[in-house]
Amino acid sequence: MWNRTVSGLRLTFHLAGINNQNFIMRDEETGTYWQQISGAAIAGPLKGTQLTLVLSDELTFATWKSEEPQGTVLNDVPQYVSGYARKDWDVRMKRAPTVLDFPEHGLKARDLMLGIQAYGASRAFLYDRVVKEKLVKDRVGPEPVLLVVGPDDQSVRVFRGRIPGVDGVTDFYRVTEKQPGDSPGAVFMDDATGSEWNFRGCAISGKAKGLCLEQIPAIKDYWFDWRNYNPKTTVYGMER
């Protein structure tokens, strides 16, 4: 998700084309072309300009609703409903051929990845592996990161693995089976403060109660697309 205001000018974007199954957008105001995955202006008067990333989550509706009970949902536009993708579009896309293929690490072109660009590095995580492991502790560049699977066993958030105000790297571990006295909503714990943390990355008990970990943007993308725009990416668990 990108902020559509650039240097005080609010832009209106339209789909201009598809390049290797990735959107190319064109804005009405300047006629500049923009790359969907990077938010970069690739041609036109604003070439070289970068849209500002807006932190967003890809969650199941149930998880989002539990966190935002007063939240609103964007309605369908009736005259365009017939053109919307079907609910099983991801299943059909899994079988669609790709122009590009990067058969590295034994990955298939349409393997679903969680990609992170942060701290001067790019790193990808096989989505199915993250969901299976529930809590992934790793590094992106020099920084420790946590990939946390939500209570729905589908939604994933990424956090910097450092507690504000606590020196050094903290170890975190998953709350698996609920014990008497565990806080409702606790998903993981830490060994430095003994605090319980929820899926928002906020401590709900212990010495760190009230603190929140820094959330790191992550994109869910097919391997071929992520690898194409991040040629120096590394892959979790597949180091050579």
Side-chain angles (χ1 to χ4, degrees), residues 8 14 22 25 47 56 100 106 141 143 184 187 193 196-197 214 226:
H14 298 281
N22 200 273
M25 305 176 292
K47 182 180 179 180
S56 60
L100 301 175
E143 286 296 310
V187 178
T193 71
E196 296 173 305
W197 303 77
E214 176 188 342
W226 175 259

Side-chain angles (χ1 to χ4, degrees), residues 213-240:
L213 302 178
E214 176 188 342
Q215 188 171 349
I216 300 172
I219 182 174
K220 189 184 291 185
D221 197 8
Y222 292 118
W223 165 245
F224 82 91
D225 194 52
W226 175 259
R227 170 61 178 78
N228 184 41
Y229 293 101
N230 296 274
K232 295 183 179 180
T233 189
T234 55
V235 180
Y236 169 70
M238 299 183 183
E239 285 74 11
R240 295 176 179 175

Side-chain angles (χ1 to χ4, degrees), residues 110-132:
R110 288 199 179 275
D111 278 343
L112 200 56
M113 314 297 290
L114 292 169
I116 301 173
Q117 286 182 317
Y119 312 117
S122 298
R123 191 152 172 81
F125 300 76
L126 189 63
Y127 172 76
D128 287 344
R129 180 168 182 171
V130 173
V131 169
K132 182 178 180 180

